[in-house]
Amino acid sequence: MPISQIQLVSSRKQEILQAARRLFSQKGFQNASMRDLAQALDIKPASLYSHYQSKDEILWEIAIRCAREFLETVLPIAHEKTAVQDRLDRMIRAHVEVIIRNLDASAIFFGEWTHLDEPRRSEYADLINRYESAFIEIIQAGMNMGVFRPVKPRFITSMLIAALNWIHQWYRPDGEMTIEDIGNEASRFLLAGLSVSPLSNQ
């Protein structure tokens, strides 16, 4: 296949994914049909099947791309050799930034992925567990060092991530808070509840 045709196919797939992210975010995966997606793209439904065999395949590609961005952005911070407070602070900020960079895809990452067919659903659940485990381990390490209060790390991680994930519901690019503002406030508030000693202003 000529390079120009390869680029055209790649561009069309990107258009499909972008339209699907918006559609699945607005209507939900189960309520959105391939016909809806074709209508949003102003193409015939049959044209979609030349790029993706099913709606599940489209959902999988959107979800896996988003999951990889979270993992590749946040996990390296967890493995650094810096203070646990600093690592958790930066992990929270990085999580916020990925959400805001991927508002439509974030809705899929947080909930719509549960509609994936097996074995993709189980594979994706493993990625979610791997991601959350990084936060659990940081919190446990902070407790072991005496810098974080005694808590149940898994429960606190669920609460922390749930609080951050809500951002995609209300964030607006033209709002009064910048990405940096949101990251700062979220990290300061969440770390204050964990830290044994009062946090200095950041």
Side-chain angles (χ1 to χ4, degrees):
M1 181 184 291
I3 292 177
S4 60
Q5 286 185 275
I6 293 173
Q7 291 174 337
L8 181 62
V9 170
S10 176
S11 175
R12 172 58 77 182
K13 290 186 77 170
Q14 290 299 327
E15 289 176 5
I16 292 170
L17 292 175
Q18 185 175 1
R21 284 196 297 267
R22 289 195 301 268
L23 184 64
F24 295 167
S25 177
Q26 293 167 1
K27 297 188 67 171
F29 175 75
Q30 289 187 310
N31 294 326
S33 68
M34 290 291 270
R35 184 174 296 277
D36 292 331
L37 182 55
Q39 186 174 7
L41 289 160
D42 196 24
I43 61 175
K44 295 181 179 180
S47 299
L48 289 175
Y49 292 99
S50 65
H51 300 285
Y52 293 101
Q53 295 181 358
S54 66
K55 193 171 67 162
D56 187 77
E57 185 179 351
I58 296 174
L59 176 63
W60 170 251
E61 185 157 346
I62 295 170
I64 203 68
R65 287 185 181 201
C66 192
R68 284 174 180 159
E69 184 164 359
F70 275 104
L71 291 165
E72 292 171 2
T73 302
V74 177
L75 261 57
I77 300 171
H79 299 143
E80 291 177 359
K81 302 299 182 182
T82 56
V84 291
Q85 301 101 312
D86 177 64
R87 278 181 282 164
L88 184 55
D89 168 62
R90 291 174 55 219
M91 288 166 70
I92 291 170
R93 295 168 189 266
H95 185 92
V96 169
E97 290 175 5
V98 175
I99 289 173
I100 294 175
R101 285 201 304 266
N102 302 274
L103 288 175
D104 290 334
S106 290
I108 295 167
F109 179 77
F110 301 145
E112 296 298 320
W113 68 270
T114 57
H115 299 301
L116 286 166
D117 293 336
E118 293 290 1
R120 285 171 172 164
R121 183 165 63 243
S122 292
E123 183 178 342
Y124 203 80
D126 288 341
L127 292 178
I128 297 288
N129 289 334
R130 180 183 168 200
Y131 185 74
E132 292 181 352
S133 291
F135 285 87
I136 292 169
E137 290 167 9
I138 288 290
I139 293 171
Q140 183 65 60
M143 288 170 54
N144 295 343
M145 295 175 185
V147 297
F148 289 160
R149 304 175 190 278
V151 296
K152 295 187 181 298
R154 186 173 297 279
F155 172 75
I156 292 301
T157 293
S158 296
M159 295 289 288
L160 183 153
I161 292 179
L164 295 176
N165 291 354
W166 189 248
I167 290 170
H168 86 279
Q169 294 280 0
W170 55 262
Y171 174 77
R172 296 292 180 273
D174 58 352
E176 62 180 20
M177 295 182 74
T178 65
I179 296 176
E180 185 177 15
D181 290 336
I182 295 170
N184 288 343
E185 291 300 317
S187 178
R188 184 180 296 115
F189 177 79
L190 294 168
L191 278 172
L194 275 174
S195 298
V196 171
S197 302
L199 295 176
S200 58
N201 292 329
Q202 298 177 24

